[in-house]
Amino acid sequence: MESNNDRQQRLRSLPGVDRLLAQTDKDPFFKTIPKPLTTRVIRGVLEDLRSAIMAKDPSAHEDALTETKVIERVCTQLQKALEPNLKPLVNATGIVVHTNLGRSLLAEAARENVARMAGAYSNLEFDLEKSARGSRYTAVEGLICEISGAEAAMAVNNNAGAVLLCLDTIASSRQVIVSRGELVEIGGSFRIPDVMAKSGARLREVGTTNRTHPRDYEQAICDETGLLLKVHTSNFAVVGFTASVSLTDLVALGRKYRLPVMEDLGSGTFVDFSRYGLMKEPTVQESVATGIDVVTFSGDKLLGGPQAGIIAGKRELIDAVKKNPLTRALRIDKMTLAALEATLRLYRNESEAVRSIPTLRMLTRPLVDISADAEDLARQLQRIDDPRLSVELADRTSRAGGGSLPLLDLPTKSVDVHIQGVSVNTLERHMRNNRPPIIGRIESDRFVMDPRTIQSGEFSIIENALSQLLKRV
Ligand SMILES: *Cc1c(COP(=O)(O)O)cnc(C)c1O
């Protein structure tokens, strides 16, 4: 049993801040580091050690409290503090639109445009012809209309913001009718009923989870009704005995009762994926073609652009949204706008878009290409030549992710790694802590990597990470 006395003694034996600072002053490693940072890290390390001693944590044993050991800890912590917090990583999960890993990679044209616009003044809100104040939406409005067929359009911070803005503009303090089958929650706690509450609109649920009919909407319509809303059930599917009201029918109902109709498309796409052998996902063009008043969708899901929320629809409505004071709070940034404009331009030629927008390219990659990559990666890993390492190819599935194409299993060929004497959890942790981190998944006791989302040039990162681990274990 450890006595109070022992603890007191160990607390006292900890070197003081001044003393440690004096030591670090002599060390060339610390020369380049701002002193306030060093001081802050020293204080943090001492604080951690004190807490560890008080908590009887075995890591705070006597040998760990010497000046040398404490300075070693300070060095490690400083190195961490000097590394960027936001860093690139290898996405080997096979989930193309992975929200936790940054959703979409920008096309080269978009990246170049961001770099160009970030360091220059621009006509962001300046009309060069009239020499007067302009609108920042000009950069993308015409393009969105051209591609989607909408009368007017704008872009805001994200689709959650777009939905909030539209509800607030169209239906604040009025009733919004939504099918019970469409009251979705998207990851990160975006729930249609909650967003509705924030906008001041009142939710009127109709139908049941699996079946909603036109008469359900019709019976609910009253003087209080301000909007008919359809939400794309982008991250789940109701299968079996189901019925929902088509957008066309909903738009007809809206006409009949003189009510605006809105659709939250979520992952909105301009490309009909069924043309590429994938599952059908409703396109923005189809939604607009029904004569709908307004449709909103994300910029960084299936569109493959930057984080943004796009609002397209009838001119009168879009003008009202532009004038809503809340719009300012959800304003799109100029770098995002630069990325979005360049991405949209690529859609003028669909095959060009599919080739050059990484999200589209990864989703539509033929299995033979992925298999060839899997074989290349496996061969490269086998070069490590360690008898404990086993590398196998397996038939698995990738996912679109980002709450899109929920039922779609994309066939893929994965590279599965197993190291004799090393648990798969240890292997996964090592890969995750690599610089840059490599994120894969664990399946059938293997570390599984899906080449669908691994970018060119990243195979050697994986090879190095594995050979380093094999040298250590
Ligand atoms: C993803 C999604 C949202 C939120 O979009 P963000 O761009 O992530 O804000 C809203 N509605 C639906 C149906 C979605 O799928």
Side-chain angles (χ1 to χ4, degrees):
M1 259 313 273
E2 175 183 81
S3 71
N4 258 352
N5 242 348
D6 282 349
R7 258 193 289 173
Q8 289 302 331
Q9 194 150 11
R10 273 194 288 156
L11 283 174
R12 273 197 301 271
S13 78
L14 272 176
V17 177
D18 290 340
R19 172 128 173 222
L20 290 167
L21 269 175
Q23 278 313 106
T24 56
D25 267 347
K26 294 184 213 148
D27 189 330
F29 168 79
F30 291 92
K31 281 270 179 308
T32 54
I33 296 166
K35 195 126 175 188
L37 177 60
T38 307
T39 312
R40 196 160 61 84
V41 169
I42 288 175
R43 290 216 167 97
V45 165
L46 290 175
E47 194 54 47
D48 288 349
L49 285 170
R50 272 187 217 109
S51 311
I53 294 169
M54 295 309 286
K56 302 183 189 168
D57 186 325
S59 74
H61 55 83
E62 222 153 306
D63 294 346
L65 308 178
T66 63
E67 201 172 283
T68 320
K69 286 285 178 202
V70 175
I71 288 181
E72 262 173 38
R73 264 185 201 241
V74 170
C75 282
T76 314
Q77 294 277 326
L78 265 174
Q79 261 152 358
K80 260 196 207 151
L82 292 172
E83 257 181 36
N85 292 325
L86 198 57
K87 48 194 157 209
L89 55 73
V90 176
N91 174 9
T93 64
I95 301 168
V96 179
V97 183
H98 197 308
T99 296
N100 298 156
L101 306 185
R103 286 201 181 157
S104 282
L105 312 187
L106 294 181
E108 196 180 336
R111 299 198 305 266
E112 281 171 3
N113 208 30
V114 172
R116 184 162 51 228
M117 300 318 296
Y121 289 112
S122 64
N123 60 341
L124 179 66
E125 283 189 359
F126 183 65
D127 186 328
L128 284 166
E129 275 171 36
K130 295 189 191 136
S131 184
R133 194 197 161 122
S135 155
R136 67 175 58 213
Y137 307 117
T138 313
V140 292
E141 178 161 23
L143 283 162
I144 299 168
C145 293
E146 179 189 320
I147 303 162
S148 69
E151 261 175 42
M154 61 187 290
V156 294
N157 182 61
N158 59 2
N159 186 36
V163 173
L164 176 67
L165 260 180
C166 289
L167 290 176
D168 185 80
T169 310
I170 305 167
S172 183
S173 77
R174 314 212 66 194
Q175 254 182 25
V176 177
I177 305 182
V178 191
S179 158
R180 288 201 168 87
E182 298 171 3
L183 294 173
V184 304
E185 171 177 321
I186 319 293
S189 73
F190 175 91
R191 284 182 170 187
I192 285 293
D194 298 344
V195 176
M196 191 89 69
K198 282 283 172 209
S199 73
R202 275 172 297 128
L203 174 66
R204 175 76 166 88
E205 305 172 24
V206 295
T208 61
T209 309
N210 58 330
R211 292 173 72 83
T212 303
H213 307 279
R215 63 169 185 275
D216 293 324
Y217 287 91
E218 229 164 343
Q219 280 162 9
I221 291 172
C222 65
D223 290 348
E224 300 281 291
T225 311
L227 177 71
L228 306 180
L229 173 66
K230 189 162 183 73
V231 182
H232 179 45
T233 54
S234 52
N235 55 2
F236 71 101
V238 183
V239 292
F241 185 57
T242 67
S244 64
V245 176
S246 73
L247 195 58
T248 310
D249 289 347
L250 203 60
V251 170
L253 271 180
R255 288 262 158 77
K256 183 170 167 192
Y257 292 95
R258 297 175 182 277
L259 285 170
V261 179
M262 162 172 162
E263 180 170 42
D264 170 12
L265 260 179
S267 51
T269 168
F270 291 137
V271 171
D272 180 353
F273 282 102
S274 64
R275 292 232 293 273
Y276 298 86
L278 303 180
M279 203 179 214
K280 174 86 192 166
E281 178 86 353
T283 66
V284 178
Q285 295 92 318
E286 287 159 358
S287 185
V288 169
T290 62
I292 195 164
D293 295 277
V294 66
V295 47
T296 74
F297 51 99
S298 284
D300 57 354
K301 289 185 180 169
L302 293 180
L303 214 67
Q307 179 192 302
I310 297 172
I311 307 173
K314 296 272 155 56
R315 155 108 22 229
E316 199 184 332
L317 235 156
I318 302 291
D319 282 347
V321 177
K322 283 180 183 166
K323 289 200 193 95
N324 187 332
L326 196 55
T327 299
R328 174 61 190 260
L330 297 163
R331 189 160 85 169
I332 188 167
D333 167 65
K334 69 173 175 207
M335 284 190 282
T336 311
L337 212 44
L340 187 59
E341 177 181 354
T343 306
L344 290 168
R345 278 185 191 280
L346 296 170
Y347 278 98
R348 283 185 159 157
N349 176 340
E350 184 174 307
S351 52
E352 172 72 26
V354 171
R355 222 180 6 255
S356 56
I357 296 174
T359 297
L360 297 184
R361 190 172 59 226
M362 288 186 263
L363 283 171
T364 57
R365 266 188 93 185
L367 181 59
V368 285
D369 281 11
I370 299 176
S371 297
D373 264 7
E375 278 164 30
D376 285 349
L377 175 58
R379 245 194 312 276
Q380 194 165 336
L381 298 184
Q382 268 145 2
R383 284 204 313 236
I384 297 173
D385 199 27
D386 186 307
R388 293 168 298 171
L389 175 68
S390 111
V391 180
E392 299 148 12
L393 299 184
D395 294 317
R396 298 191 186 275
T397 51
S398 326
R399 295 236 158 241
S404 39
L405 305 162
L407 291 187
L408 182 61
D409 285 336
L410 302 160
T412 197
K413 186 73 87 180
S414 68
V415 178
D416 298 5
V417 174
H418 168 74
I419 299 175
Q420 208 176 25
V422 177
S423 78
V424 71
N425 291 313
T426 304
L427 173 55
E428 185 276 336
R429 188 167 357 104
H430 171 82
M431 300 301 266
R432 180 159 38 83
N433 290 328
N434 188 62
R435 289 181 199 174
I438 299 158
I439 311 297
R441 44 191 169 128
I442 295 176
E443 266 180 60
S444 350
D445 212 30
R446 299 280 182 274
F447 183 70
V448 171
M449 292 176 286
D450 185 341
R452 184 186 296 276
T453 50
I454 302 175
Q455 307 302 304
S456 68
E458 291 179 343
F459 288 1
S460 51
I461 298 173
I462 297 168
E463 184 193 342
N464 287 338
L466 278 176
S467 56
Q468 270 168 24
L469 175 62
L470 284 159
K471 276 188 207 126
R472 283 216 326 243
V473 291

